[in-house]
Amino acid sequence: MTKGSIVAEFEAGQRLHVRRPGVPTSLTVQMAQPDGRGGWSLFVLTPDGSFLPLTVASGDDTVEVLLVDGAAPSERVLAGMWTQWMAAANHNARTTLLASTPLRPYAHQANAVYGAMLPQPQLRFLLADEPGTGKTIMAGMYLREMQRLGLIRKGLVVAPAGLVTKWMADFEHFFGGGLRRITADTVREHALDVDHDMWIVSLELAATNGNVQDAIRPDKAGWDVVVFDEAHRLTPTAGTFHRVGRLLTRETPRALLMTATPHRGSEWLFRHLLNMVDPDVYPDPGMDKPSDDEHMSRLKPGAIHFLRRMKEALVDYDGQTRLFLGRTAHNFAIPLNPVEASLYVQALAMVDEFFPRTAQPLARMVYGKRAASTLYSLKETLLRRASKMGQHLAVVPDAGTDPFDVDTADAGDEAEVVNADSVSAKRERGAIKDLVAQIDDAFAKAYTPSKWRRLIDECLVGNGIVPGGSEQAVVFTEYADSAEWIQDQLLAEGFTARVYSGRQAHVERDEVRAAFMRRDYQIIVSTDAGNEGIDLQSAHVLVNYDIPWSLVKLEQRMGRIHRVGQNRNVELYNLVATETREGDTLLTLLNNFVTAANELDGQLFDSLSLVAELAHINFEDWLKAIYGNDEDSKQRAMEAARRVNAADVRNRTTQLREDDRELESAVEARAALTLLQDDLLERINPAIVEAYLQRLAATGLLTCGPAPQGEGILRLARSMPLPASLTPEGRPGNSALVAVSGDALSAAARETDTTDVVALGPG
């Protein structure tokens, strides 16, 4: 470091800084002689070793004497200055996370994170955008940017068990990883005590395992922020989940709750969610639901606590291109063929003959629905019944394990039926053996299931999905047995297909889903394990091979492909087996729903169950009555179904959308675009990052050269260990691969293990 001064006297050995044309800037005085007029005659040494005469008049300000010199190497001085500038640029840019990841957010996502959430250092927020809008991505952006700003260090994500690995995969892909799972083993081994910043736990495990719940208490774990996915599960009607929500939100300084269904037609439930968001602003509405809930005054939270955007309003940065295209639904009424009809009747007759009267309604439902799905599913249920009848084996959840979404239709109702007592076990086993033999005989004779040709010819081939092609579809069924059978039949027809079900481990399910999104195969056959939270929008065709009784499940299925990133109109098909106990009722209801939905450009499908609730359509109770022992109840249920009409459903949908719009926020595409454009100017671009690394290399502190992974990836090395911030895993080391941009980081991920690559620069 140097300091200059204009002086009246010169002497040998002084270093000069000269500002004269044609004269070197840096000179050293060898001889100095006053000229008698207040000036000086100098003899100076130039940097190249030659000597020059130099005259300095009195008051000449073009020559300065360097009084102080720290003797620092120029290269290191410049490197230090660059480092200070890089650090300032990194801190000042508002969206620096985006420069070092492959993520390119949509306008509504940028609005939410950079416009609504990050400006609040002590965020208490309910993010309530409609399904499929990318709320997980928004939460990840918020967490990473808050870490970069130094406002949070330790955070916890709480998500349904079936979504935990998806959260971890998204963090790995978009945000560099580091989201670590909390399990019962984690707690036993005191792994939460290690110095790690981001954790995730399943809501089910936190609610059922006392040790886990105790370990994640904010006063013990010291969370700076907690994020709840699918926060509508935290309502008082789900007691254990609600307690977890209150435990974590009350004592953690920042809370982000996310749900696509914040209101669910109940002002009381909505106020409970808002109370978790900010109890100082939104009072506790109490644990007893008021009888006049529907008539409670509607609460509209302010922008600092709440954000909800509707699909039809979401646009790209141009302010015009819709992110969500249309949805059209089709119902196919498919009568059972003679083989299926005969076996269906025989299966229900076995219920009347062998099950105790109190067990008959559920048994009819299980046998009937499986027979209407696939005969293979009925056969497998009958075989399980033959081996387990009368055992009454209760399914006791293991609090030491992390539960995940098994297929509820398999694990619940069927388990109760196959274990039930028999009026005559020996005769029932004989009847089962005979019925199974008839099913095997039907398959041996190559019978064609009634639904099969409609699935292949109209749902698949009719949409360009042909054997060996590249177009994809999603097929949903309630039963893992049916899913496996459908997969085998599709493979036999020449399609490529895989199953996604609750019988698979999480790792296998994640691989099946990821392979589908990579377009490795054509058709994913999913059970209800795939209903919630997974992305399947590489397909634009969805087929409900059988219809769930829960309208919540039906709307969740439809949300798997109508998501951000879907660039085509979505086609939805419902295959309804008629000439069954439930078939006519199902078809009547679905026809009314589909007519209303198609008239409203598919908007109904995001709130199907709520519309039914508002229209007083007690879907599940009706269908249970149809399988019951009371003929009068059965007739009343069918009459009630017939009284529902499309106009009523449409009116209720319109009412709901109007209520939603009272809570809706606008998507400011222009503001989002301006934010990102301004930030691009502030951001350090890849060329600057590379120049900075070369400047560091010039100091001799490290070497910097190309890496075999390709353009944009550099290898840094030095004899002394590199700082921990430049090495994978944050540990000091001798070398590292450095990606100078997010694009280079993405390319490196394809060529090498991304844990060996560090993104240097913004974010």
Side-chain angles (χ1 to χ4, degrees):
M1 184 174 178
T2 60
K3 181 179 179 181
S5 176
I6 301 172
V7 298
E9 295 187 359
F10 293 89
E11 61 185 32
Q14 289 176 329
R15 294 181 62 191
L16 306 180
H17 178 69
V18 181
R19 298 185 301 278
R20 291 184 185 178
V23 178
T25 303
S26 299
L27 301 172
T28 302
V29 177
Q30 298 297 304
M31 295 179 60
Q33 181 71 39
D35 63 4
R37 298 186 299 276
W40 289 79
S41 296
L42 307 177
F43 198 58
V44 296
L45 177 68
T46 66
D48 62 5
S50 58
F51 294 93
L52 292 175
L54 184 69
T55 300
V56 182
S58 177
D60 189 343
D61 62 358
T62 64
V63 178
E64 291 180 279
V65 176
L66 300 181
L67 299 179
V68 180
D69 186 354
S74 299
E75 295 84 358
R76 294 197 179 192
V77 172
L78 288 173
M81 294 171 66
W82 269 67
T83 300
Q84 291 295 317
W85 177 75
M86 292 279 283
N90 178 62
H91 182 76
N92 292 337
R94 287 164 290 180
T95 65
T96 50
L97 164 75
L98 307 181
S100 57
T101 78
L103 179 65
R104 294 296 176 266
Y106 293 96
H108 69 281
Q109 295 171 332
N111 277 157
V113 176
Y114 299 104
M117 293 158 61
L118 281 176
Q120 301 187 59
Q122 296 289 109
L123 183 74
R124 310 286 304 191
F125 204 74
L126 178 57
L127 180 59
D129 288 350
E130 282 201 292
T133 51
K135 292 186 286 294
T136 302
I137 294 299
M138 291 182 251
M141 291 167 61
Y142 166 74
L143 291 173
R144 282 301 193 225
E145 291 287 16
M146 286 290 283
Q147 282 185 304
R148 179 184 66 83
L149 294 170
L151 296 175
I152 67 170
R153 187 186 70 84
K154 196 171 184 181
L156 176 68
V157 177
V158 185
L163 302 184
V164 168
T165 53
K166 181 181 182 299
W167 266 88
M168 296 171 72
D170 283 348
F171 248 69
E172 186 69 35
H173 180 63
F174 294 115
F175 307 115
L179 190 60
R180 189 176 297 179
R181 186 172 195 166
I182 297 174
T183 66
D185 289 340
T186 308
V187 173
R188 271 194 301 270
E189 296 163 5
H190 302 287
L192 273 174
D193 298 336
V194 304
D195 188 20
H196 185 74
D197 52 9
M198 284 295 158
W199 297 87
I200 185 167
V201 67
S202 83
L203 176 59
E204 293 86 342
L205 185 66
T208 59
N209 187 301
N211 291 334
V212 171
Q213 190 172 126
D214 185 63
I216 63 174
R217 294 177 62 91
D219 56 342
K220 285 189 174 182
W223 309 119
D224 299 308
V225 59
V226 60
V227 176
F228 275 98
D229 196 6
E230 306 294 344
H232 55 268
R233 297 188 177 203
L234 305 179
T235 56
T237 51
T240 56
F241 293 170
H242 184 68
R243 286 191 288 275
V244 170
R246 290 172 73 97
L247 170 72
L248 290 171
T249 57
R250 290 299 168 91
E251 301 300 328
T252 304
R254 300 167 188 83
L256 172 59
L257 278 64
M258 304 190 302
T259 174
T261 53
H263 203 279
R264 303 292 312 166
S266 170
E267 185 67 20
W268 177 70
L269 294 178
F270 184 46
R271 291 185 181 215
H272 265 287
L273 281 180
L274 290 172
N275 175 251
M276 285 189 191
V277 169
D278 195 334
D280 293 332
V281 176
Y282 304 102
D284 189 335
M287 297 303 291
D288 296 324
K289 184 177 181 179
S291 58
D292 61 344
D293 182 14
E294 292 183 11
H295 304 291
M296 291 177 67
S297 61
R298 290 183 63 84
L299 184 64
K300 183 175 182 180
I304 63 170
H305 290 115
F306 184 80
L307 185 65
R308 178 167 175 80
R309 278 83 56 88
M310 314 301 284
K311 279 182 176 178
E312 63 265 27
L314 298 185
V315 293
D316 212 338
Y317 286 103
D318 60 8
Q320 297 178 349
T321 304
R322 291 177 57 190
L323 294 186
F324 289 89
L325 302 180
R327 285 167 288 182
T328 304
H330 316 266
N331 293 328
F332 290 165
I334 305 174
L336 298 181
N337 63 34
V339 172
E340 294 165 338
S342 172
L343 294 168
Y344 179 88
V345 170
Q346 290 182 65
L348 295 190
M350 286 175 55
V351 172
D352 294 339
E353 183 176 358
F354 297 115
F355 279 79
R357 185 171 177 79
T358 55
Q360 287 176 6
L362 184 60
R364 285 193 202 99
M365 182 192 75
V366 168
Y367 281 13
K369 284 175 64 64
R370 286 169 184 271
S373 176
T374 64
L375 291 183
Y376 179 80
S377 181
L378 173 62
K379 171 188 169 181
E380 293 299 302
T381 297
L382 290 171
L383 292 174
R384 285 189 282 269
R385 169 67 177 163
S387 66
K388 296 182 179 180
M389 68 174 70
Q391 293 183 11
H392 296 292
L393 297 177
V395 179
V396 180
D398 180 1
T401 63
D402 198 350
F404 59 92
D405 349 337
V406 297
D407 302 313
T408 53
D410 277 340
D413 294 340
E414 194 215 31
E416 188 173 340
V417 168
V418 300
N419 287 315
D421 285 333
S422 175
V423 172
S424 175
K426 183 177 180 180
R427 286 196 303 112
E428 184 178 356
R429 285 191 174 94
I432 288 174
K433 182 178 180 181
D434 178 64
L435 195 55
V436 168
Q438 291 184 57
I439 295 173
D440 286 339
D441 184 59
F443 283 123
K445 293 178 179 177
Y447 107 99
T448 301
S450 54
K451 296 178 181 178
W452 193 252
R453 293 323 313 170
R454 302 295 294 271
L455 168 67
I456 299 298
D457 298 338
E458 298 184 53
C459 304
L460 300 182
V461 175
N463 286 287
I465 305 166
V466 297
S470 59
E471 291 291 337
Q472 295 178 290
V474 180
V475 177
F476 268 106
T477 174
E478 285 200 279
Y479 312 111
D481 293 325
S482 289
E484 291 165 5
W485 181 85
I486 292 169
Q487 173 198 241
D488 291 344
Q489 302 311 302
L490 288 168
L491 293 173
E493 295 253 0
F495 295 94
T496 52
R498 295 183 68 178
V499 167
Y500 184 102
S501 85
R503 291 181 180 175
Q504 299 163 311
H506 271 302
V507 173
E508 183 180 356
R509 276 195 272 171
D510 290 343
E511 194 278 323
V512 169
R513 179 190 59 81
F516 185 76
M517 291 299 290
R518 291 195 305 267
R519 297 184 175 274
D520 290 353
Y521 62 98
Q522 293 176 277
I523 302 170
I524 185 171
V525 187
S526 179
T527 63
D528 291 335
N531 276 1
E532 193 173 43
I534 67 171
D535 304 333
L536 301 174
Q537 65 266 43
S538 61
H540 74 290
V541 174
L542 185 146
V543 182
N544 289 308
Y545 196 84
D546 44 49
I547 311 300
W549 281 12
S550 167
L551 291 175
V552 172
K553 291 180 181 178
L554 199 58
E555 74 184 43
Q556 286 173 339
R557 289 180 181 183
M558 294 174 179
R560 296 314 94 220
I561 64 174
H562 197 247
R563 308 180 66 76
V564 166
Q566 177 60 261
N567 54 18
R568 292 179 287 181
N569 289 319
V570 165
E571 301 292 336
L572 306 169
Y573 296 91
N574 299 313
L575 308 187
V576 184
T578 57
E579 299 182 5
T580 63
R581 286 209 174 196
E582 67 190 65
D584 292 340
T585 301
L586 272 174
L587 187 63
T588 299
L589 292 172
L590 287 175
N591 279 341
N592 286 315
F593 284 141
V594 163
T595 299
N598 289 342
E599 289 175 357
L600 295 169
D601 196 25
Q603 295 174 16
L604 169 62
F605 294 126
D606 292 316
S607 50
L608 194 60
S609 58
L610 185 52
V611 169
E613 193 176 305
L614 293 175
H616 305 292
I617 302 171
N618 202 332
F619 193 53
E620 294 181 47
D621 285 351
W622 289 356
L623 293 171
K624 286 178 181 177
I626 289 169
Y627 282 102
N629 295 323
D630 186 345
E631 288 297 322
D632 289 340
S633 296
K634 184 193 309 182
Q635 290 302 319
R636 285 196 299 271
M638 296 179 73
E639 294 264 344
R642 295 188 188 101
R643 284 197 298 270
V644 177
N645 58 67
D648 188 30
V649 173
R650 184 176 60 248
N651 291 339
R652 292 293 183 175
T653 304
T654 303
Q655 171 196 332
L656 179 64
R657 303 301 285 186
E658 289 174 355
D659 290 345
D660 267 338
R661 286 191 179 91
E662 293 181 14
L663 301 173
E664 184 181 8
S665 305
V667 178
E668 299 176 3
R670 184 179 296 275
L673 179 61
T674 300
L675 167 72
L676 292 183
Q677 287 179 334
D678 289 348
D679 218 46
L680 283 173
L681 297 176
E682 298 173 5
R683 188 182 300 165
I684 309 167
N685 64 47
I688 297 296
V689 174
E690 189 164 359
Y692 169 56
L693 294 175
Q694 298 293 350
R695 178 61 64 185
L696 291 177
T699 67
L701 296 173
L702 52 81
T703 60
C704 176
Q709 281 73 19
E711 185 177 355
I713 307 294
L714 301 176
R715 179 170 290 280
L716 306 185
R718 59 171 293 177
S719 55
M720 295 177 63
L722 287 170
S725 60
L726 290 184
T727 61
E729 308 299 331
R731 295 189 296 268
N734 290 322
S735 68
L737 293 179
V738 175
V740 298
S741 71
D743 291 338
L745 185 60
S746 298
R750 292 191 296 269
E751 300 293 332
T752 187
D753 182 355
T754 53
T755 60
D756 291 335
V757 183
V758 178
L760 186 67

